[in-house]
Amino acid sequence: HVQLQESGPGLVKPSETLSLTCSVSGDSISSYCWSWIRQAPGKGLEWIGHRHCSGRNDYNPSLKGRVTVSIDTSKSLFSLRLSSVTAADTAMYYCASYNIAAAGTVFDYWGQGIPVTVAS
Amino acid sequence: EVVLTQSPGTLSLSPGVSATLSCRTSQTVNSDHLGWYQQKPGQAPRLLIYSTFHRPAGISDRFSGSGSGTDFSLTISRLEPEDFAVYYCQLFGSSPLFSFGPGTKVDIK
């Protein structure tokens, strides 16, 4: 089955851009749709954005255009860029996949998560 | 925008009893797009239920989902120590495209 591993800096300065990568192994990255989800300390889950299997990207309107997701199929990488970060972006960041043909529009595989702190 | 509300916020129960968790949506939704997750401290969420009542491979049959329209439930039969966790419902198809409920914590009484 597919395995996901997030990587990136654990500390980002305010106003800078957070960049994370999700490395996919165990199956073809093209077989799934991909999302980034985050969880602030002690809080619930917030969907950030996704790369649909069709190639379309969608984002959470609450992030007001600060988000970009992309995929590199040759390297099996799914990436997140979040610009102009503030302390409110401090969270555990997860990459997750869903398979329309299997369980549908739910996330059946998750990475272990990567903690990101926004501080100077 | 469809708002998901979960109740209760916390459920304190003893091992061996059953738990019923509620997820209500502010509008009628497609039950094909409603799922449930379990999250334990320090771990990523784990998918328990998809399309309202389907269980992925490897999920115990003590977990069952039901509902339609605006009212959905997750029932955990015969609570075991490893079931004490936070449970989230999740919906696809509104704005944002994916949304999660605020969660229900099931803890040991």
Side-chain angles (χ1 to χ4, degrees), chain A residues 35 37 39 43-47 50 52 56 58-61 94 98 102-113, chain B residues 32-37 39 42-47 49-51 56 88 90-92 95-102:
Chain A
S35 274
I37 294 160
Q39 186 170 35
K43 302 297 185 182
L45 300 164
E46 179 183 29
W47 177 73
H50 85 154
H52 191 267
R56 185 186 75 244
D58 293 289
Y59 303 113
N60 191 322
Y94 297 99
Y98 64 101
T105 51
V106 290
F107 302 106
D108 44 5
Y109 292 107
W110 295 69
Q112 65 185 24
Chain B
D32 286 342
H33 297 307
L34 194 289
W36 291 88
Y37 301 85
Q39 187 178 33
Q43 296 184 17
R46 177 177 70 141
L47 179 66
I49 298 287
Y50 66 95
S51 298
Y88 295 96
Q90 178 244 307
L91 176 69
F92 169 83
S95 177
L97 199 57
F98 294 88
S99 54
F100 294 89

Side-chain angles (χ1 to χ4, degrees), chain A:
Chain A
H1 74 192
V2 67
Q3 294 179 326
L4 315 179
Q5 178 68 60
E6 301 91 344
S7 61
L11 180 64
V12 182
K13 291 182 168 56
S15 80
E16 294 190 345
T17 296
L18 180 164
S19 294
L20 299 175
T21 298
C22 178
S23 178
V24 179
S25 60
D27 202 348
S28 170
I29 194 171
S30 300
S31 297
Y32 300 86
C33 307
W34 297 96
S35 274
W36 286 97
I37 294 160
R38 70 181 181 180
Q39 186 170 35
K43 302 297 185 182
L45 300 164
E46 179 183 29
W47 177 73
I48 298 170
H50 85 154
R51 173 75 163 209
H52 191 267
C53 310
S54 66
R56 185 186 75 244
N57 292 341
D58 293 289
Y59 303 113
N60 191 322
S62 71
L63 293 168
K64 298 176 184 174
R66 297 192 293 128
V67 183
T68 304
V69 300
S70 61
I71 193 167
D72 185 334
T73 55
S74 66
K75 296 180 179 178
S76 292
L77 296 176
F78 176 56
S79 299
L80 168 71
R81 288 174 58 85
L82 179 65
S83 63
S84 305
V85 297
T86 69
D89 295 309
T90 294
M92 181 72 77
Y93 285 75
Y94 297 99
C95 64
S97 67
Y98 64 101
N99 186 335
I100 299 293
T105 51
V106 290
F107 302 106
D108 44 5
Y109 292 107
W110 295 69
Q112 65 185 24
I114 183 168
V116 176
T117 299
V118 178
S120 53

